[in-house]
Each structure stands twice: as C-alpha cells, then as structure tokens.
Amino acid sequence: MDPPNEFDVLSQDVDQTLRADIDNLDQLPLASVFDVKSRLESELTRLFNALNEMGADMETPLVTNEGYPRADLDVLQIRLLRRNVNVLRNDLKAVISRAEVLMATQFEKLAAKTQEVNRNREFESRIPFAKVVDVVATSPSEVAGLKKDDKIVAFGRVHAGNHKSLSAVALCAQASENKPISVRILRDSEFHQLTLTPTKNWSGRGLLGCQIVAI
C-alpha cells in the first residue's frame, strides 16, 4: 500500500464539514458565515498549538546551514501544518470578505426599513384622527389649551394608525392619570403641541373633560 501523499494528509487534517461550508460560502446566510469564521479561527488555533508542540512556528528554519533537513524537527509534519495554516488563512480572508458583503446588504435593508418606518411615522404625525366637539370649563383639557374644533393628530403614543376607534385614547388617559401627556393638534391649518394631564381632581366628571369624535 502506498504511503499517503501530502494532499491526502492535508485532506485528513482539515475538517471536511468545515471545508464543505467554505466551498459553499456564497450560499450561506450571515449567521452561518459567522459560524464558519469561528470554526476557522478555532482550527487555526489548533494548528498553531500543534506547531508549537513540535518546537516550531511559521518562521522556524527547517534546514541546516548546509541545506539539509533538520534532524531535531519533524520537518514533513511541520510543512504540512504550515500548508494547512496558509490554506485556512486564505479561507478566513474569504469568509471575512463574504461576511462584510452580507453585513452591508443587511444594513442596507435595515436602513430601508427604518426609512419606511420613519415615513409612516411622519405620515401618521400629520393626519388627524379625532375632532374635539366640546371642552368643559376648568377641565384638564381646557387647562391644557384644547379647544372645540381642534383636530387631534397624536395623543401620547396614539395616532391615526393605532387609535382603534378612539378606545386607545381612553386607555392612554387611564394609564396616564396625574401624568402629563403630549397632545399634537391641528388648529386652523397649524400644528400645535399641548400638554394634558388626565386627572379626577377637578369639579367635573372623567379624566379629560372633553368630548371627541373619530374623523
């Protein structure tokens, strides 16, 4: 039986599952690419440790001054380990490059999604969802500056996209009793920012002292 050649030894030394993942790098998602990177780094650490145990590193001379292989070192094994290291170093560069591409793509998608969310928020922050039809004197709403015919654009976190037939306004008021709420209104084609504090500590009924209807 013929002894294994250098390529056979190299193939045995490198995890074949890892090699398969590296060969199919373009098909892997970002998380898997990071996993391959971690496994490559672990494999390189193992190889460097193996070199160290043999009393060598990547720069150790393997021949004597006369040009003969050093008798105090396993020159063949050291050369094979060095070859594996060089192969995996190149693989690691390719993995890092692939990760950078995938990360850039992911950041672009995230930025696009963020822009879309911001556009939706901007749209919602300018669309009235309720109209004030009555404000009781001395009520928290009057104290805040709310007036009849004002159009409510935002009531705390409640807006045109989530007011749920105005039920979210009532829930927000109940959850914020005696706490200030930012209220954005549209009055005579101008936007105004008010601060309203729902409370029972006034002469009338309810927390707000106003009547609103959905638009």
Side-chain angles (χ1 to χ4, degrees):
M1 182 176 180
D2 295 333
N5 60 33
E6 187 173 336
F7 179 78
D8 292 331
V9 176
L10 176 63
S11 299
Q12 294 168 10
D13 283 350
V14 179
D15 183 341
Q16 294 305 296
T17 302
L18 177 58
R19 173 54 54 199
D21 285 340
I22 294 170
D23 291 341
N24 294 282
L25 201 59
D26 290 345
Q27 308 301 319
L28 300 180
L30 182 59
S32 297
V33 172
F34 278 131
D35 178 64
V36 172
K37 177 178 178 292
S38 177
R39 288 155 60 197
L40 268 173
E41 291 169 340
S42 295
E43 183 67 9
L44 280 168
T45 297
R46 184 186 72 82
L47 295 178
F48 283 125
N49 288 339
L51 280 172
N52 185 62
E53 290 175 0
M54 291 185 176
D57 56 28
M58 296 296 289
E59 305 297 333
T60 302
L62 300 183
V63 296
T64 65
N65 293 334
E66 292 77 20
Y68 295 102
R70 287 178 56 176
D72 60 326
L73 295 175
D74 190 336
V75 173
L76 176 60
Q77 288 301 316
I78 292 173
R79 284 178 174 170
L80 292 176
L81 286 171
R82 285 179 174 179
R83 179 180 175 181
N84 283 357
V85 167
N86 288 328
V87 169
L88 293 185
R89 277 177 168 174
N90 289 331
D91 290 334
L92 185 57
K93 290 179 181 178
V95 169
I96 292 173
S97 177
R98 179 59 180 164
E100 289 173 346
V101 170
L102 290 176
M103 288 176 65
T105 301
Q106 187 166 334
F107 284 140
E108 288 175 0
K109 291 181 179 178
L110 180 60
K113 184 176 180 180
T114 300
Q115 290 176 357
E116 180 65 22
V117 170
N118 289 338
R119 282 195 295 268
N120 290 339
R121 287 177 178 173
E122 178 63 21
F123 176 79
E124 290 166 347
S125 71
R126 302 183 67 84
I127 302 300
F129 66 89
K131 181 179 179 180
V132 179
V133 296
D134 186 40
V135 178
V136 180
T138 73
S139 68
S141 292
E142 185 186 59
V143 172
L146 206 61
K147 297 181 180 180
K148 182 181 178 181
D149 294 329
D150 284 346
K151 296 178 180 179
I152 299 177
V153 176
F155 189 91
R157 294 181 179 273
V158 182
H159 50 70
N162 66 0
H163 67 85
K164 299 179 181 178
S165 300
L166 301 186
S167 63
V169 174
L171 291 175
C172 180
Q174 293 169 8
S176 304
E177 185 174 353
N178 298 320
K179 300 176 183 177
I181 297 175
S182 177
V183 180
R184 181 178 173 84
I185 65 167
L186 178 63
R187 178 187 296 161
D188 298 329
S189 301
E190 293 185 359
F191 290 99
H192 300 272
Q193 203 74 28
L194 308 178
T195 300
L196 193 161
T197 302
T199 181
K200 295 178 181 178
N201 298 325
W202 67 289
S203 57
R205 298 174 57 184
L207 294 171
L208 302 178
C210 72
Q211 183 181 355
I212 63 175
V213 295
I215 297 177

